[in-house]
Amino acid sequence: MKQNTFMPKLAGVLLATCMLAGAAEARGKKMELYPVSDATKGVYQELCAECHGGDRLGGIGPALITESLTRLKASAATSTIKEGRVHTQMPAFGDQLNDQQIADLVNMVKTPLGAMPVWGEKEIDATRVFNEDYQPVDAPVYDSDPLNLFVVVETGDHYATVMDGDTFEPLTRFKTQFALHGGPKFTPDGHFVFFMSRDGWITKYDMWALKVVAEVRGGINSRNIAISRDGKHIALANYLPHSLVMLSAEDLSVEKIFEAESLGGDTTRVSAVYQAPERDSFVVAMKDVPEVWEVATNANAEPEFDGYVDAENYGKDASKPTSEGLFALRRIAVDAPMDDFFFDQSYKHLMGSSRDGKSGVVVDMDEGTTIATIDLPGFPHLGSGISWDWQGKSVMVTPHLSESKISVIDMTNWSVLKTLDTAGPGFFMRSHENSKYAWADVFFGPNKDQMYVIDKETLEIVKTLKPLPGKTAAHIEFDRDGSHAILSIWENDGMIIIYDAKTLEEVKRIPMSKPSGKYNVWNKITFSAGTSH
Ligand code: DHE
């Protein structure tokens, strides 16, 4: 395979995930810039380049270029470098750098690169590589149930393990791009899976042949990917450049690039893209403009985009698609930019979190209108929200990134039904249709070694597991029939722990290197209500 020339070196330094977050409210005066000294460039290479890229174009951490940071105040950047950033893995450098060195670094990241990097079809296509060792196969090369496999992404050493979901035996382990993020996406038959790295690399992997097929760098700093309902198209959400890239799932060639701009012409980062299977479309979160996009993935989409038209709220027919058929675009106006989406199982309702982390906003996707705002302070992590039926109604349950609680929301009237107190903010939640329990981690703070088991009927925490005292216990995934729950010990010398989902007893431990996310083929391709989509 061709080498990834953008890949930053591995480092002991933890990733800096989110200097951009909170930037919206931070529009401030323009900073007086001064020439960047060689000493500052040296400090940057030593401490920052590992995560943010030697060229500042991003890697495991976001790109540190002024175009992306226009709204970030120098004071906020200073405190981020000095104190780290809560709820992300950006470390504090206050002990290693003096105030002047920190100011010089802020000056450096605020200094324009010279030119905004161009990453269009030509540049993307030039990175496309095919694995010469790959040979297509007609059937899986193993005896395991191909629909009950797990992919475990190990971010400690940047590998992924494919594991049999019946025997819990690893089938293979392979090197991935640096810093994979988000859920890998499977084709509807589970034959292929696509991974994305934070620096924009997409890897197509054959789950039957257990081989990498091809790779392409579709962005410089990317958020996540989605696959279309028919498995033919991959959508890539980019912070940098500001684009939504459509790729052929067959050969990873570029099919279309949407420049991310509001109707009024304001450029925006693209926060995330999701498949809405019931709608045969992609739904796209925009970071900086008050719009949600819907992109048709049906080649036969009518000019009206099949009942998707609602101009009333936006005026000037703005929500009508701007084109017909495949990739027809529809814009939905919202009051403010929304992040971190949750969908109900019908994909009629979309819930996004407000950028100030204080509320959840519910949009009726058919009507294109906001129908409810839920008071949800403490940065609800809606992307990790799951739903189940409770006493004849659907409830949505979400952890919070900055408050020690889990919120239960009644989806019939979009009100908070119940709040569970926890020992710290959480990141991930999971359940399965066949399980009476939902699992939720405590990702942040001194109790990060705890995992809650919630009874889905009583809505009470019925057990708190502490599998390895002092070690982060995070992210659950169930096997195909919901009989086992698999937990990650989120450490470089970590492991996955398999639990009997009924008795809550441990079944097996398998050492792994910071196993971040685990993804079961069946649960993903069936869009199980218990897992993130
Ligand atoms: Fe994630 C999923 C955004 C930080 C690990 N994360 C996602 C998705 C989004 C998202 C939009 C859904 C992707 C999908 O499945 O298509 N993540 C964000 C952020 O905005 C945030 C808070 C800041 C950032 O820097 O991007 C963030 N995420 C993190 C981390 O720091 C984590 C813990 C470590 C890491 O690897 O970066 C992390 N995110 C994950 C994981 C998933 C994920 C493991 C997949 C969850 C799943 O089970 O589907």
Side-chain angles (χ1 to χ4, degrees):
M1 302 284 297
K2 188 174 127 182
Q3 283 299 303
N4 171 4
T5 49
F6 289 85
M7 189 184 286
K9 279 183 292 174
L10 292 179
V13 186
L14 289 173
L15 82 167
T17 46
C18 214
M19 278 186 74
L20 305 180
E25 68 276 17
R27 200 187 288 274
K29 269 203 237 147
K30 234 180 161 193
M31 192 181 143
E32 286 293 328
L33 298 172
Y34 49 91
V36 180
S37 70
D38 287 346
T40 303
K41 288 178 192 161
V43 172
Y44 178 87
Q45 290 304 328
E46 192 188 330
L47 298 179
C48 317
E50 314 281 358
C51 292
H52 295 283
D55 47 11
R56 286 164 49 200
L57 293 184
I60 194 167
L64 294 182
I65 62 172
T66 191
E67 289 80 357
S68 302
L69 301 174
T70 45
R71 299 178 187 190
L72 185 72
K73 280 184 187 159
S75 57
T78 304
S79 63
T80 300
I81 298 171
K82 208 172 191 165
E83 293 149 28
R85 198 172 169 87
V86 194
H87 310 307
T88 75
Q89 296 178 54
M90 169 75 185
F93 290 104
D95 288 346
Q96 293 173 65
L97 299 172
N98 63 36
D99 287 352
Q100 189 55 51
Q101 286 173 308
I102 291 174
D104 291 343
L105 277 177
V106 173
N107 173 68
M108 179 175 174
V109 301
K110 287 278 184 186
T111 300
L113 285 175
M116 180 79 169
V118 175
W119 208 252
E121 183 168 350
K122 190 163 63 82
E123 290 75 16
I124 296 172
D125 208 49
T127 65
R128 201 154 57 109
V129 278
F130 294 88
N131 182 3
E132 285 160 11
D133 294 339
Y134 171 68
Q135 286 297 326
V137 292
D138 295 333
V141 296
Y142 43 81
D143 293 332
S144 313
D145 172 2
L147 297 183
N148 192 24
L149 297 185
F150 284 85
V151 171
V152 187
V153 171
E154 297 181 61
T155 50
D157 58 1
H158 310 276
Y159 270 76
T161 293
V162 180
M163 186 176 77
D164 181 313
D166 291 305
T167 61
F168 302 111
E169 289 295 328
L171 297 181
T172 189
R173 191 167 187 269
F174 60 95
K175 186 98 189 107
T176 68
Q177 289 288 338
F178 186 80
L180 295 187
H181 179 232
K185 300 291 151 45
F186 296 93
T187 49
D189 57 2
H191 187 164
F192 296 98
V193 63
F194 297 83
F195 300 90
M196 187 213 74
S197 74
R198 283 188 183 261
D199 60 0
W201 281 94
I202 293 176
T203 303
K204 177 176 179 178
Y205 185 83
D206 186 329
M207 292 289 288
W208 291 3
L210 301 180
K211 288 266 188 224
V212 170
V213 180
E215 294 192 291
V216 71
R217 191 178 187 191
I220 289 172
N221 191 245
S222 301
R223 298 290 297 163
N224 79 326
I225 50 171
I227 188 164
S228 59
R229 184 168 80 173
D230 61 8
K232 291 185 177 162
H233 314 285
I234 301 293
L236 169 69
N238 284 328
Y239 264 4
L240 221 114
H242 295 178
S243 65
L244 177 73
V245 177
M246 302 295 164
L247 300 166
S248 155
E250 180 64 33
D251 62 4
L252 300 183
S253 59
V254 175
E255 295 184 317
K256 185 176 175 81
I257 300 179
F258 289 92
E259 310 260 331
E261 269 186 5
S262 70
L263 196 69
D266 290 330
T267 181
T268 175
R269 292 167 287 169
V270 181
S271 272
V273 56
Y274 306 87
Q275 186 205 140
E278 302 297 324
R279 311 176 66 81
D280 204 349
S281 65
F282 290 126
V283 179
V284 191
M286 296 298 177
K287 187 82 176 172
D288 308 306
V289 300
E291 286 182 11
V292 172
W293 286 10
E294 183 167 29
V295 176
T297 46
N298 175 359
N300 301 318
E302 296 296 317
E304 299 83 19
F305 205 135
D306 279 343
Y308 286 179
V309 177
D310 168 52
E312 221 177 71
N313 216 29
Y314 211 110
K316 293 192 291 179
D317 284 354
S319 66
K320 282 189 180 166
T322 52
S323 53
E324 298 176 21
L326 186 63
F327 304 147
L329 168 67
R330 171 194 180 216
R331 298 165 190 265
I332 297 172
V334 287
D335 290 339
M338 297 193 328
D339 242 343
D340 202 11
F341 287 175
F342 167 83
F343 296 89
D344 65 4
Q345 284 297 98
S346 70
Y347 284 77
K348 177 171 164 55
H349 296 108
L350 152 75
M351 195 196 294
S353 60
S354 60
R355 292 274 304 274
D356 62 6
K358 291 184 178 158
S359 54
V361 178
V362 185
V363 173
D364 180 319
M365 290 295 294
D366 293 335
E367 301 298 325
T369 51
T370 299
I371 56 164
T373 301
I374 313 169
D375 197 21
L376 276 180
F379 280 97
H381 194 209
L382 301 179
S384 285
I386 57 172
S387 59
W388 63 80
D389 289 337
W390 180 79
Q391 300 190 357
K393 52 174 93 172
S394 288
V395 291
M396 182 268 186
V397 186
T398 179
H400 289 252
L401 294 173
S402 70
E403 277 189 22
S404 306
K405 64 181 183 185
I406 292 168
S407 297
V408 183
I409 292 150
D410 179 343
M411 288 163 73
T412 55
N413 59 13
W414 302 106
S415 63
V416 179
L417 187 75
K418 184 164 183 172
T419 304
L420 305 179
D421 292 327
T422 62
F427 214 99
F428 301 110
M429 281 203 72
R430 274 292 198 281
S431 186
H432 189 282
E433 283 81 355
N434 296 342
S435 173
K436 62 185 285 211
Y437 300 122
W439 298 54
D441 57 34
V442 179
F443 198 80
F444 304 101
N447 299 308
K448 61 185 185 177
D449 52 5
Q450 297 184 14
M451 175 72 69
Y452 295 121
V453 181
I454 299 165
D455 186 314
K456 285 157 74 176
E457 194 47 47
T458 61
L459 302 181
E460 297 289 348
I461 293 170
V462 288
K463 187 154 187 175
T464 303
L465 301 164
K466 203 189 241 196
L468 224 63
K471 307 289 183 191
T472 307
H475 195 278
I476 293 284
E477 177 70 310
F478 283 77
D479 55 0
R480 177 177 176 166
D481 66 4
S483 59
H484 294 88
I486 294 100
L487 173 151
S488 290
I489 296 296
W490 201 295
E491 308 283 341
N492 282 337
D493 56 348
M495 63 182 73
I496 57 167
I497 305 181
I498 294 129
Y499 287 87
D500 182 308
K502 264 195 193 136
T503 63
L504 308 179
E505 295 298 325
E506 252 189 66
V507 174
K508 191 170 183 176
R509 294 184 172 202
I510 306 175
M512 290 200 186
S513 178
K514 208 173 195 185
S516 64
K518 305 161 293 299
Y519 310 92
N520 178 271
V521 177
W522 178 260
N523 295 339
K524 287 297 176 191
I525 64 176
T526 56
F527 284 74
S528 160
T531 187
S532 57
H533 297 167

